[in-house]
Amino acid sequence: MNNSVTETDHVDWAGVFYRIRQQPQMIVGMIIVALVLCTMVFAPWIAPYEPTKLDILNRLAPPSGNHWFGTDQIGRDIFSRVIYGSRISVTVGLGVVLLAMRTGAVIGAFSGLAGGKVDTAIMRIMDVMLSFPSFVMAIALASALGPSLTNAMLAIAVLRIPFYVRLARGQALSLRERSYVKAAETFGSSRIRIVWRHIVPNALPPILVQAMLDIGAAILTASALSFIGLGAQEPAAEWGAMVATGRNFLLDQWWFPTFPGLAILTTAIGFNLFGDGLREIFDPRAQGR
Amino acid sequence: MSFANMIRRRLLFLLLVVFGVSLVTFVISHMIPGNPAEMIAGDKAPRELVEKIYKDMGLDRPVLVQYFKYISNLLQGDLGTSIRTQRPVLNDILIFFPATLELAIVALSISIIFGVPLGVISALRKDKVVDHIGHTVSVTGISTPAFWLGLLLIYFFYGKLGILPASGRIDSSIAPPAHVTGLYLVDSLIAGDWPAFKSTVNHLILPALTLGFIHLGVVMRQIRSAMLEVLREDYIRTARASGLSPTRIVLDHALRNALIPSVTIIGLAFGDLLYGAVLTETIFAWPGMGNYVVLSITALDFPAIMGFTIVASTVYVLVNLMVDLLYAALDPQIRAIG
Amino acid sequence: MNRPVLKVESLSLEFPHRLGGFPALEGVNFHIAPGEIVGLVGESGSGKSVTAMSVLRLLPEGATHYRRGRILVLDRDVLTADPGQLRRMRGATASMIFQEPMNALNPTIRIGRQIMQVIRTHEKRVSKAQAEVRARQLLVEMQVQDVDRVMRSYPFELSGGLRQRVLIAMAFSCNPSLLIADEPTTALDVTVQAQVLGLLRERARERGMSVLFITHDLAVVSQLCDRAYVMYAGRIIEQGATREVLQKPLHPYTRALLQSLPEAAEPKHYLAAIPGTAASAADRISGCSFRPRCALATNSCSQLPPLAPSRRSSEHEVACWRSEDTIETDGSVATAPKMMAAPGGDPHAPPLLRLTDVSVRFPVGHTWLGRPRSHVHALNGVSLDIRRGETLGIVGESGCGKSTLSQVVMGLQPVTTGEVMFNGRDIFGQSQADLKKLRQNFQIVFQDPQGSLDPRMSVEALISEPLVVAAELSKVEIRERVLDLAQRVGLRPEQLSRYPHQFSGGQRQRIAIARALALQPDLVVLDENTSALDVSVQAQILNLLADLQQQMNLTYLFISHNVAVVRHFADRVAVMYLGEVVELGNARDVLERPAHPYTRSLLAAVPKLEHEAGLSQPLRNTELPSNRRLPTGCFFKDRCIHADHNCTTRQELRGLSDGRKVRCVQTGGFSLQQEVVSA
């Protein structure tokens, strides 16, 4: 059609801002993520009480001016615990994704560029790993490593690795066939230069977008493991574990499991909306035109 | 590659996966801190008993020998004995499996029945209000902790309104239908047992809604993006230029092609369904595999956990095999070249 | 005159955009009489496709703003029609075929059902069986062999040419009064194009159907159309009978466009390129939009010229204040053509590059044991010399192996058998380090300049990259060299800090050329590097390449599917077919008096400006054999009209008296003096 400049590869920043404004959900996501990050950093200033401070006389109190989200079965302030809980959840989410992405991207890029038997072997292993039902395997791994937050994180991260391996390998393979990489080969660029100069910078954006999308999922999975007792342990203020305890008080003290769960939901929505928006913006097929 | 060839390849792959899982579970069982014999014998058992169990389990033999023993047991369907129930793990799982299957099928149906049309509508109304609402619904689905949603539903429909039960598969006052398939819905219909059927449906609603809603997000998201991609294709333009009606273009030309990639993605998301099932079953005391494994975790019952892992992985791979077949049935190009 | 089938009145439309609307059409007026075949010609950005799409209102509704005008199809205004009326019109009153046949059919529905669906959508009373009979008839009419198989096939089982015929059959299925064809043969090979065009014209004439034919190719217009409209920047600037418009053009743009064609100039002479790039309506040029590129522009051109009958004929209309002047001076709009550098290439000196019996096979698929299921035979025993200082053209259709050949020459694609010697050194027998050094002597300019330029690097970084890699120059020297290269290819120094996406296709091609020349190579491979460009820009690039060749003593391997460009630009030419060289010799000899039957049919299929009825197609079998299972004997024998029992053995390249080589046992029987081109 009419041939004005169509950008598929290069980022058109004016266009990016325009597209962000076109996506109200992404802005909502960004705001949520920003709030959660602030909460995490400023938790001691925001929380009215120490998250572990007991007040046995005031146990299972309903939400009030003193205790916005009520208190739990040993009189701890649920609001303060939810605030502090952001530290655990976000750390876990980021930790899982960083670990999985870095490991996966390196293996994937190596596999794709190495090619041949090495590539085949790595990819077979990854195919097998991808066929593991990941949550079930996370349960197995986490229970074997012993119930702790670090172990839960490790278990989730290990099982996310194959996704990044695939993604990075796919990127490496398709970029290797681009004519600008071939052109670089023709004037004698070394392999290392081609990888660092041409492949890595162009392969990174889709991998980062995927990572962004994964943070929400990682937070959810970690809280689920905590909920069934394989993650954070008492007295840590972890949202999933709080819901698990609160479950026993559901019918009479609804606030106890509700607010920590709401925190998980909100945070996950925030990261997912933000990630979705990023994908929409950086997806070359959505661009152009 | 022929069709039969493809199936052969997938089956071979299945073996590979089960082998991989068994390797992992074996390694895991050997990573467990503490002595499994002690766990089996119990806290107050005399030393001799512990040592006897230790020997009986072959734990004094070289690791490789133990592994081969483990594998050969697996191949004979021996997944070990549960510490908690003292029964063979396979027996336990066979008892609990139908309940999980029933829940998963109903939830999957809910998510597809609602997810596909909603995804299509979102795509057709891209960037309109409907699409934004649809997007919000699907992101919420993906972001909701299943265990928490289950609790909320129990609070309202059982605690506040008192119209639906909160736990189990069937009222304790009603006898389960005679075992045919193990699926109460089917069995009660076969038996013509109307009260049992009604009770089963009542018990299914909340857990299936919980699980279905989580999965709904995945389905909607996939269908929407696949539809958007297909609607941009040249053949849709041809169809429009030929004067075909919008309904025909959307349902016959676009959706047909959008379903092909979606089948794979939704199949892969079956793993999420299993994940959701573990949590949902716990919340609703649903006597399925998920509930079984959580109870086993609490009891540090490793044979049961590992047995469950192997069975769940096998089921997962089998489901994906079926998905591949479905994919091939839908896509003429795959059918021809395989 | 009869009432027109299509009448477009002062149509203006724009695409809303965050920067405030891009105009695409400005007051477009045209009409098509019953049974008339009308061409709409223009370069990219002219608005020809937008016009075509708007006739059936196929542009995305939310993203198109029809500012003004009417589109009357059989007196019904498309722009005010409701969706139901529009649907009944599409396919039944007016139907459309598009450029890309590959994706234009639904991949998961059988061909038969797709055609029947269209029939039954518009004619509700037709039964399934009746519709099937009609679908079959249509395919027979489109000269589809093996109708039964095609009816049952899925699109991926058919070749591009066959798919386009199915699409034409679909477009004809409800006997519409108007067919809109948007570059329907641009994506096809030239021999297939000739068949499809011939078929289209014949069937349309038989039915008295009107056709609106959109194309960038003036030669196709001359072969096909009764009348032609020329578009530039969203406006119609000239209109008249095809013969008038193409042989006595009035608008300076039409004249310049015709003169920038390689066919218009003597071989190895400079082309009369139009400066700058084609404008679009979105550029919002006030007055005549061709003004910035026009040699005749004066102050009066800042007023918009109306499309008005010329002094010569009321039927021939032109929108130009100065057109009457151009007739007087009889067209010397551009400067007189000069000879390019004298043909280089001493046949007796040792060749710069020598390919000896090169074959390349790619494995396809895997069996259980990981062995390849079959092979694609991309190159089959190619032997070629490239002489120092010459331009060797490689011409052939898709699947002939010309791109693989370029990869082999560049050392990017290892050969299966045979050897490639550069200056006497085997490029596949070198160590990595030596190959790296050797490679600096030969460079490539790829077909797709956008893809070959890393989007994240500035132009300066791009051009200097080979120099940085070679690491022999200081930063200052590199900067100097880059400036010098930029100047040679016609880039301004301030453009060096920009990024590839900020340039037009022609300019990106210049950047790629500058980079290829950075290391001062001996040999430059030019792989289809003008095929994505507009004709006027192609002429600029060809002229530039000729200058650079002379200034820098370059040898070119010039690969193209475009016979006219190769005939114009190359000294010698090799014609390829199914991975073989079938004819090799002086470009003028081979491409004006072809000897090999394949070269003859290739040339006969090329649309020509002068002939109105030259769509001959001397091929027996339309489908190209698969390069997975090569034919036995002569590869061309199944399609050759001259084939006989002598052709069942594999043919060798044999020398003829005039020095060319031909791979055909029959060649002796043809008279080389005969002008086959006009046959």
Side-chain angles (χ1 to χ4, degrees):
Chain A
M1 268 210 316
N2 66 328
N3 245 350
S4 55
V5 188
T6 49
E7 308 89 272
T8 47
D9 278 322
H10 197 272
V11 179
D12 155 27
W13 286 109
V16 167
F17 288 124
Y18 172 76
R19 292 189 66 84
I20 290 177
R21 266 190 289 132
Q22 286 292 92
Q23 297 189 313
Q25 305 102 314
M26 183 183 178
I27 299 175
V28 172
M30 281 165 82
I31 293 172
I32 294 175
V33 169
L35 281 179
V36 170
L37 291 180
C38 285
T39 312
M40 181 184 155
V41 174
F42 300 111
W45 290 275
I46 299 172
Y49 302 90
E50 281 292 306
T52 47
K53 184 176 167 265
L54 308 186
D55 184 2
I56 291 292
L57 293 178
N58 207 2
R59 59 197 288 267
L60 295 172
S64 66
N66 279 339
H67 298 284
W68 290 0
F69 292 174
T71 62
D72 68 6
Q73 82 284 10
I74 43 177
R76 292 175 296 197
D77 179 47
I78 294 180
F79 178 68
S80 303
R81 287 176 68 73
V82 166
I83 294 295
Y84 272 93
S86 66
R87 293 191 156 185
I88 299 182
S89 287
V90 174
T91 314
V92 170
L94 289 176
V96 164
V97 166
L98 278 179
L99 193 63
M101 180 182 76
R102 275 176 41 192
T103 323
V106 169
I107 298 178
F110 171 75
S111 181
L113 296 173
K117 291 213 170 72
V118 181
D119 181 42
T120 316
I122 293 178
M123 288 324 287
R124 280 297 141 301
I125 295 173
M126 292 304 142
D127 282 349
V128 170
M129 279 182 76
L130 274 172
S131 297
F132 293 172
S134 62
F135 186 67
V136 173
M137 289 305 285
I139 290 178
L141 263 178
S143 59
L145 293 168
S148 88
L149 195 64
T150 327
N151 289 344
M153 216 168 106
L154 258 174
I156 302 169
V158 167
L159 290 158
R160 292 301 301 169
I161 290 176
F163 288 93
Y164 290 97
V165 172
R166 259 202 184 175
L167 189 61
R169 175 178 178 268
Q171 284 292 320
L173 284 184
S174 86
L175 287 170
R176 203 174 58 170
E177 289 307 308
R178 290 286 172 89
S179 37
Y180 58 77
V181 171
K182 289 202 164 170
E185 232 176 292
T186 62
F187 45 71
S189 291
S190 63
R191 266 184 102 91
I192 296 170
R193 188 185 162 87
I194 289 177
V195 170
W196 283 109
R197 212 48 231 246
H198 300 290
I199 293 187
V200 171
N202 287 299
L204 226 43
I207 296 178
L208 288 175
V209 168
Q210 181 59 41
M212 210 54 221
L213 273 168
D214 267 1
I215 295 179
I219 291 177
L220 271 177
T221 316
S223 70
L225 283 180
S226 294
F227 177 79
I228 57 174
L230 284 174
Q233 303 294 314
E234 276 286 311
E238 204 279 341
W239 295 336
M242 287 163 75
V243 177
T245 322
R247 183 188 164 192
N248 303 317
F249 305 89
L250 170 70
L251 294 180
D252 297 312
Q253 284 86 28
W254 59 269
W255 57 87
F256 190 169
T258 302
F259 287 112
L262 204 58
I264 304 174
L265 173 69
T266 317
T267 311
I269 286 184
F271 279 103
N272 279 332
L273 284 177
F274 185 51
D276 266 0
L278 278 186
R279 184 174 55 177
E280 199 94 338
I281 287 168
F282 285 95
D283 181 4
R285 272 172 306 206
Q287 265 188 17
R289 242 172 206 256
Chain B
M1 195 186 347
S2 69
F3 209 61
N5 218 329
M6 184 180 111
I7 295 175
R8 225 174 5 225
R9 266 175 99 117
R10 295 300 307 192
L11 285 175
L12 198 76
F13 184 66
L14 179 119
L15 278 181
L16 209 64
V17 171
V18 174
F19 172 75
V21 173
S22 75
L23 191 68
V24 173
T25 50
F26 179 79
V27 170
I28 286 175
S29 341
H30 278 256
M31 279 158 50
I32 305 165
N35 185 343
E38 267 170 33
M39 263 188 263
I40 291 171
D43 286 346
K44 297 180 187 89
R47 260 210 83 65
E48 303 84 69
L49 179 62
V50 172
E51 254 156 45
K52 184 178 179 309
I53 294 174
Y54 191 81
K55 271 228 161 79
D56 286 350
M57 289 175 75
L59 292 175
D60 54 340
R61 320 258 289 275
V63 177
L64 219 63
V65 176
Q66 287 187 44
Y67 181 63
F68 278 116
K69 180 90 180 96
Y70 178 76
I71 288 282
S72 72
N73 283 347
L74 269 188
L75 290 176
Q76 291 160 34
D78 180 2
L79 299 176
T81 304
S82 159
I83 299 169
R84 188 169 57 88
T85 65
Q86 297 294 328
R87 281 185 307 231
V89 172
L90 190 65
N91 281 20
D92 277 354
I93 287 174
L94 286 178
I95 293 170
F96 294 117
F97 182 69
T100 300
L101 188 65
E102 185 164 40
L103 177 58
I105 290 174
V106 175
L108 188 67
S109 312
I110 291 178
S111 67
I112 288 174
I113 289 169
F114 291 97
V116 173
L118 287 175
V120 169
I121 292 170
S122 270
L124 292 177
R125 295 271 171 277
K126 185 179 180 333
D127 291 336
K128 301 274 164 53
V129 178
V130 182
D131 181 30
H132 290 317
I133 294 172
H135 186 219
T136 312
V137 170
S138 82
V139 169
T140 310
I142 292 166
S143 311
T144 305
F147 51 93
W148 180 74
L149 177 63
L151 289 179
L152 284 193
L153 291 178
I154 290 177
Y155 180 73
F156 280 107
F157 292 95
Y158 172 74
K160 285 281 142 186
L161 303 173
I163 51 174
L164 287 170
S167 68
R169 290 178 82 183
I170 195 160
D171 282 347
S172 50
S173 59
I174 298 175
H179 183 98
V180 184
T181 58
L183 309 177
Y184 283 6
L185 281 180
V186 180
D187 288 354
S188 61
L189 281 179
I190 292 173
D193 187 348
W194 185 243
F197 182 76
K198 232 176 95 179
S199 177
T200 306
V201 170
N202 277 340
H203 280 82
L204 256 173
I205 291 178
L206 293 185
L209 273 184
T210 306
L211 197 47
F213 181 67
I214 312 283
H215 203 239
L216 173 78
V218 180
V219 176
M220 276 177 71
R221 173 142 85 172
Q222 169 55 31
I223 292 285
R224 176 181 181 271
S225 70
M227 277 297 283
L228 283 179
E229 199 148 304
V230 168
L231 286 172
R232 254 179 254 145
E233 293 283 350
D234 286 353
Y235 54 80
I236 297 300
R237 191 176 57 179
T238 308
R240 288 210 302 141
S242 308
L244 301 192
S245 71
T247 336
R248 171 143 249 172
I249 293 176
V250 170
L251 294 185
D252 193 10
H253 286 247
L255 188 56
R256 176 193 291 263
N257 288 290
L259 279 178
I260 293 173
S262 305
V263 161
T264 318
I265 302 289
I266 293 172
L268 280 173
F270 191 80
D272 300 345
L273 214 60
L274 276 172
Y275 137 81
V278 170
L279 298 163
T280 313
E281 288 180 6
T282 315
I283 294 293
F284 291 96
W286 188 261
M289 282 168 43
N291 201 17
Y292 175 75
V293 78
V294 173
L295 291 176
S296 306
I297 290 168
T298 327
L300 290 178
D301 184 351
F302 282 100
I305 299 173
M306 297 311 149
F308 165 76
T309 308
I310 288 180
V311 172
S313 308
T314 313
V315 170
Y316 182 60
V317 178
L318 277 175
V319 167
N320 278 317
L321 175 69
M322 285 191 279
V323 164
D324 278 350
L325 297 183
L326 189 59
Y327 185 99
L330 280 172
D331 188 347
Q333 194 150 0
I334 301 285
R335 227 177 320 163
I337 312 164
Chain C
M1 197 172 91
N2 283 327
R3 113 196 141 135
V5 172
L6 172 67
K7 192 165 168 59
V8 174
E9 290 175 353
S10 53
L11 179 66
S12 297
L13 75 76
E14 64 179 29
F15 299 115
H17 189 268
R18 59 175 192 270
L19 306 174
F22 280 152
L25 300 179
E26 297 283 1
V28 169
N29 278 302
F30 68 96
H31 68 273
I32 301 176
E36 199 180 22
I37 301 184
V38 170
L40 198 56
V41 212
E43 294 181 288
S44 55
S46 64
K48 58 188 190 304
S49 277
V50 174
T51 309
M53 298 280 278
S54 64
V55 171
L56 285 180
R57 241 168 82 188
L58 285 171
L59 295 164
E61 288 282 299
T64 314
H65 173 47
Y66 296 91
R67 263 203 344 257
R68 219 152 43 80
R70 297 201 298 169
I71 301 171
L72 301 172
V73 177
L74 291 181
D75 291 337
R76 179 190 283 285
D77 189 353
V78 173
L79 294 185
T80 57
D82 65 41
Q85 292 170 326
L86 209 53
R87 261 198 326 271
R88 284 191 291 280
M89 210 181 268
R90 290 173 180 164
T93 317
S95 58
M96 188 157 181
I97 48 179
F98 302 94
Q99 177 167 4
E100 268 298 335
M102 296 322 271
N103 292 321
L105 287 163
N106 194 319
T108 54
I109 304 182
R110 292 178 198 277
I111 299 294
R113 216 188 115 207
Q114 295 197 45
I115 304 176
M116 286 154 61
Q117 208 173 44
V118 177
I119 298 174
R120 306 229 308 153
T121 299
H122 293 290
E123 295 169 40
K124 299 274 187 288
R125 266 169 299 172
V126 175
S127 73
K128 245 196 177 133
Q130 288 169 314
E132 190 177 339
V133 171
R134 256 173 69 181
R136 282 167 186 281
Q137 247 166 18
L138 283 161
L139 290 178
V140 171
E141 275 186 67
M142 295 307 147
Q143 294 173 4
V144 170
Q145 293 146 1
D146 206 356
V147 170
D148 286 327
R149 184 183 69 87
V150 171
M151 286 286 286
R152 270 182 284 111
S153 295
Y154 289 99
F156 71 90
E157 297 169 304
L158 309 180
S159 68
L162 207 44
R163 285 186 217 193
Q164 196 58 288
R165 283 181 221 210
V166 168
L167 284 158
I168 297 175
M170 265 169 81
F172 278 33
S173 61
C174 295
N175 274 313
S177 314
L178 173 67
L179 174 73
I180 303 159
D182 186 1
E183 304 249 15
T185 56
T186 306
L188 303 177
D189 275 324
V190 60
T191 50
V192 183
Q193 160 172 292
Q195 295 157 2
V196 171
L197 287 180
L199 206 57
L200 191 65
R201 187 177 58 180
E202 244 171 80
R203 296 293 169 266
R205 287 270 192 257
E206 280 167 17
R207 291 163 190 240
M209 191 185 286
S210 306
V211 179
L212 174 62
F213 195 93
I214 285 82
T215 183
H216 68 283
D217 190 336
L218 294 163
V220 167
V221 172
S222 94
Q223 311 265 287
L224 198 72
C225 302
D226 307 317
R227 218 147 48 77
Y229 288 89
V230 182
M231 284 191 82
Y232 187 81
R235 288 196 167 83
I236 294 203
I237 54 147
E238 182 161 3
Q239 179 274 123
T242 306
R243 189 189 290 267
E244 289 284 311
V245 172
L246 294 186
Q247 315 219 328
K248 297 173 201 149
L250 291 173
H251 198 285
Y253 171 66
T254 319
R255 304 176 75 93
L257 195 61
L258 281 158
Q259 280 169 345
S260 64
L261 289 173
E263 293 95 319
E266 283 287 299
K268 300 302 282 186
H269 280 63
Y270 285 97
L271 294 168
I274 312 175
T277 25
S280 82
D283 295 332
R284 299 173 193 271
I285 298 164
S286 69
C288 172
S289 31
F290 188 58
R291 182 163 59 113
R293 303 173 78 191
C294 183
L296 300 171
T298 61
N299 287 338
S300 59
C301 298
S302 57
Q303 295 291 317
L304 184 67
L307 187 66
S310 68
R311 213 186 308 165
R312 207 160 50 191
S313 149
S314 61
E315 304 282 288
H316 192 165
E317 296 179 313
V318 62
C320 178
W321 300 118
R322 305 284 319 266
S323 66
E324 311 295 335
D325 306 336
T326 65
I327 303 171
E328 309 308 327
T329 55
D330 198 39
S332 353
V333 178
T335 45
K338 275 198 331 247
M339 182 80 174
M340 289 175 173
D346 178 358
H348 305 295
L352 182 62
L353 187 90
R354 166 167 278 174
L355 285 83
T356 315
D357 205 20
V358 168
S359 293
V360 173
R361 286 187 310 172
F362 302 110
V364 184
H366 293 285
T367 61
W368 259 80
L369 301 169
R371 294 210 189 94
R373 201 157 281 279
S374 62
H375 284 97
V376 166
H377 299 261
L379 288 180
N380 304 301
V382 172
S383 298
L384 272 180
D385 284 351
I386 302 177
R387 300 170 186 163
R388 191 178 289 277
E390 76 168 344
T391 300
L392 175 66
I394 306 279
V395 71
E397 297 179 287
S398 52
C400 75
K402 56 188 191 299
S403 286
T404 311
L405 183 70
S406 79
Q407 305 270 306
V408 166
V409 168
M410 289 309 299
L412 291 170
Q413 169 65 51
V415 296
T416 313
T417 59
E419 60 175 18
V420 183
M421 306 284 274
F422 184 84
N423 241 344
R425 292 165 69 189
D426 183 353
I427 61 170
F428 293 107
Q430 305 287 321
S431 70
Q432 276 296 324
D434 287 346
L435 180 60
K436 199 177 139 180
K437 266 261 166 278
L438 190 60
R439 257 187 184 156
Q440 300 186 354
N441 297 310
F442 43 93
Q443 290 293 309
I444 184 165
V445 182
F446 286 98
Q447 173 170 13
D448 158 27
Q450 174 142 28
S452 68
L453 304 174
D454 189 328
R456 280 161 216 282
M457 291 168 77
S458 70
V459 173
E460 175 156 13
L462 284 164
I463 300 180
S464 62
E465 203 186 3
L467 299 167
V468 174
V469 170
E472 282 161 4
L473 298 176
S474 71
K475 272 194 172 162
V476 182
E477 288 169 315
I478 288 178
R479 169 86 191 161
E480 261 171 37
R481 179 79 69 81
V482 170
L483 282 170
D484 173 56
L485 286 163
Q487 191 239 326
R488 279 173 192 266
V489 299
L491 292 168
R492 294 192 306 280
E494 68 267 22
Q495 291 175 315
L496 289 175
S497 55
R498 300 201 191 144
Y499 288 85
H501 76 276
Q502 294 168 299
F503 292 86
S504 69
Q507 285 171 313
R508 281 198 285 261
Q509 209 42 270
R510 290 172 193 268
I511 299 169
I513 292 169
R515 180 176 62 178
L517 297 180
L519 292 172
Q520 298 178 315
D522 295 319
L523 172 70
V524 179
V525 177
L526 303 164
D527 187 357
E528 294 274 10
N529 69 336
T530 61
S531 55
L533 303 177
D534 280 325
V535 182
S536 63
V537 180
Q538 166 176 290
Q540 296 168 10
I541 299 290
L542 290 175
N543 288 347
L544 172 68
L545 287 170
D547 284 339
L548 292 168
Q549 182 169 36
Q550 193 190 11
Q551 291 165 15
M552 303 178 74
N553 289 322
L554 300 171
T555 306
Y556 287 146
L557 181 64
F558 186 85
I559 294 168
S560 178
H561 70 283
N562 189 327
V563 174
V565 171
V566 175
R567 178 166 49 208
H568 173 80
F569 194 69
D571 300 314
R572 288 194 308 141
V573 65
V575 182
M576 292 189 66
Y577 181 77
L578 269 188
E580 281 188 333
V581 174
V582 294
E583 187 161 356
L584 173 68
N586 282 331
R588 291 190 77 158
D589 291 343
V590 172
L591 298 180
E592 284 172 14
R593 287 173 293 116
H596 194 281
Y598 172 68
T599 319
R600 288 161 173 247
S601 44
L602 183 68
L603 285 172
V606 175
K608 280 143 220 94
L609 274 175
E610 315 83 53
H611 305 286
E612 280 179 29
L615 287 168
S616 59
Q617 189 27 260
L619 275 181
R620 267 203 305 153
N621 186 346
T622 54
E623 298 285 313
L624 182 74
S626 160
N627 52 9
R628 292 204 194 183
R629 207 172 303 131
L630 291 173
T632 54
C634 171
F635 288 176
F636 190 60
K637 71 173 186 309
D638 294 334
R639 306 175 74 189
C640 180
I641 46 173
H642 303 290
D644 62 21
H645 61 93
N646 290 318
C647 302
T648 50
T649 52
R650 183 86 198 266
Q651 306 292 314
E652 296 299 321
L653 263 182
R654 298 183 304 125
L656 295 193
S657 55
D658 62 351
R660 80 172 92 181
K661 291 179 177 171
V662 179
R663 195 186 289 276
C664 177
V665 69
Q666 307 275 15
T667 328
F670 307 135
S671 159
L672 282 179
Q673 306 312 315
Q674 185 195 349
E675 285 281 323
V676 185
V677 182
S678 59

